[in-house]
Amino acid sequence: MDEVVEVVVSHAERATLRVGDVFLKVDADQTRIDVEVEAMALAPVPTPEVLWRMPPVLAITAVPGAALGRLGEPSPTSSAAWAAAGAALRTLHDAPPPSRLGTAGRSPEALAASLDEECGLLVSTGILPAGLVAHNRRVAEAALRPWNPVFTHGDLQIAHVFVEGDEVTGIIDWSEAGRGDALHDLATLTLGHEEHLDDVVTGYGTAVDLDVIHAWWSLRSLLIVRWLLEHGFDPFAPGCEVDVLKSRLPGR
C-alpha cells in the first residue's frame, strides 16, 4: 500500500505532516526548530531521531507506542504508565538544563503582566465571564513565585508523551524546551486529568506543592484560550481548558 500524507496539525504558525514513520515539521520560526533540535540532543529521555533538517522543514522519526492520552478524553493508559511519565519527567528535571530560557522560564513579573493583559482581553471580548476569569486569576497567583530553573519540556501535554504498556517510549514536540519551572511541566502533563495527578507525583518521587500545580492549571488555561480560538482549536470542548477553569470554582 502506498504511503499517504497525513496532516497531524496545521495552523498559522506551523504545520506537521506524517508520511509513514517520518514526521515533517514546517515552521516559519527557525528559533523554535533550533530549540527543538538542541533539546532532543540533550534530553536524557526517549525522543524522536532527527533525520535531516532543511529550513523551514525538520524531519524526525516516529516514536513507538501510543500517546498517554488526549485532553478532553479519558486516558486509556494505566496508573503505572502515568507514574512512568512522572519518573521520566524527574529524570529530565535532574539533568543539566540548556542555557536558554523556555516558555516555563519567564519571570513571575513577566508572567503576571501577560496574565493580566490576557484576563482583560478574555473579559472585554466576552469570551469568558468576568467572575470565572477573576477567580482563576486569583488561583493562578500561587504560580507567580520564584523557582529554581531546571530542564523543562515547556509544553508537556499528554499527547506528547508516548508509552507502551507501562513504559515511556518517547516524548515529542520540544520547541518550548529550556530552563523553567518544574511544576509547570507537572501541571501541563496533568491538565484536565486531575485523577492521575497522584500517579504522576508518585512516579516523580518527591513531594511537590499541589497548590502551585493547581495554580499552573489556571494560569496556563487563561493564557491559551484566545490563542486556541484564533488557531482553530476549541477550548470549550468537554474536558478542555474552559472546563479546567470551571473546575477551579468553589464547590466544584
Side-chain angles (χ1 to χ4, degrees):
M1 180 178 176
D2 292 336
E3 301 285 8
V4 298
V5 177
E6 174 189 357
V7 179
V8 178
V9 65
S10 178
H11 51 75
E13 294 183 358
R14 71 196 74 157
T16 301
L17 311 176
R18 179 172 187 170
V19 185
D21 288 332
V22 176
F23 284 87
L24 302 174
K25 305 190 73 170
V26 184
D27 198 321
D29 183 350
Q30 289 306 291
T31 299
R32 281 194 292 256
I33 297 296
D34 292 341
V35 169
E36 183 150 17
V37 171
E38 178 186 1
M40 288 191 295
L42 294 174
V45 294
T47 66
E49 177 188 352
V50 175
L51 297 175
W52 50 265
R53 180 181 180 187
M54 187 178 297
V57 182
L58 172 68
I60 58 176
T61 60
V63 296
L68 191 62
R70 302 286 176 186
L71 186 61
E73 302 175 7
S75 172
T77 49
S78 67
S79 293
W82 281 85
L89 197 48
R90 180 60 184 271
T91 299
L92 177 68
H93 291 168
D94 285 345
S99 58
R100 71 181 81 218
L101 287 174
T103 56
R106 288 187 289 169
S107 71
E109 295 76 18
L111 277 171
S114 296
L115 185 59
D116 287 341
E117 179 182 8
E118 200 61 35
C119 287
L121 289 168
L122 289 170
V123 174
S124 65
T125 55
I127 294 173
L128 293 177
L132 180 64
V133 171
H135 178 77
N136 277 276
R137 174 63 182 83
R138 290 192 293 272
V139 173
E141 190 71 28
L144 303 176
R145 87 284 177 228
W147 55 75
N148 294 320
V150 300
F151 192 158
T152 53
H153 180 280
D155 189 24
L156 199 68
Q157 304 171 45
I158 55 173
H160 294 164
V161 179
F162 281 68
V163 296
E164 279 186 337
D166 299 334
E167 179 183 354
V168 173
T169 54
I171 298 177
I172 65 171
D173 286 359
W174 292 83
S175 61
E176 310 295 333
R179 297 165 61 91
D181 179 9
L183 297 191
H184 175 270
D185 273 351
L186 287 162
T188 305
L189 179 63
T190 54
L191 183 80
H193 286 272
E194 186 170 358
E195 71 279 8
H196 287 293
L197 177 57
D198 286 347
D199 299 325
V200 171
V201 172
T202 296
Y204 195 68
T206 189
V208 300
D209 190 332
L210 297 181
D211 287 340
V212 174
I213 290 179
H214 298 163
W216 268 115
W217 289 342
S218 292
L219 197 159
R220 179 180 171 88
S221 297
L222 287 169
L223 288 179
I224 205 170
V225 163
R226 275 196 326 115
W227 185 95
L228 291 169
L229 290 170
E230 291 171 358
H231 289 82
F233 301 100
D234 185 8
F236 288 89
C240 293
E241 285 80 6
V242 175
D243 275 356
V244 170
L245 295 172
K246 291 177 178 177
S247 74
R248 300 296 97 200
L249 293 172
R252 292 298 184 103

